[in-house]
Amino acid sequence: YLTKVIHLYLYKNNIGGILPSEIDNLLLLQDLQIQGNPISGTIPSEIGKLKSFERILAGPGGHFDGVINGTIPSEIGLCINLESIQIKQTLITGS
């Protein structure tokens, strides 16, 4: 596992697919920036296991549209250090 990753910047890398539930293996992850990639699917609930997590940025950042959908999982509330959620122009629903 990449247990020492703190910042994961994947801006405009044409990375597709889904955010894997195994994201919780990045135990020290603080900052996840995935905008500008054709990532689809939902934000996995396992994100709530990331106690150091501070920020997520997702959505378009060029000609790739973010197609993240579903709702923001309630487990994200377990990220006690979370400061910023910036999810733009996606298919996120709910209130």
Side-chain angles (χ1 to χ4, degrees), residues 54-66:
E54 295 177 0
R55 179 169 73 157
I56 181 170
L57 288 119
H63 67 282
F64 298 117
D65 289 329

Side-chain angles (χ1 to χ4, degrees), residues 1-56:
Y1 299 122
L2 301 172
T3 57
K4 296 185 180 187
V5 173
I6 295 172
H7 305 284
L8 187 56
Y9 302 129
L10 301 172
Y11 182 70
K12 287 187 178 181
N13 276 291
N14 196 23
I15 296 171
I18 61 168
L19 283 176
S21 60
E22 292 83 7
I23 195 166
D24 64 341
N25 290 328
L26 301 174
L27 301 174
L28 299 177
L29 186 65
Q30 295 175 1
D31 192 2
L32 176 62
Q33 296 187 30
I34 55 173
Q35 69 274 34
N37 291 292
I39 293 179
S40 61
T42 60
I43 298 172
S45 61
E46 288 81 3
I47 205 163
K49 296 178 183 176
L50 301 175
K51 302 303 180 200
S52 298
F53 200 53
E54 295 177 0
R55 179 169 73 157
I56 181 170

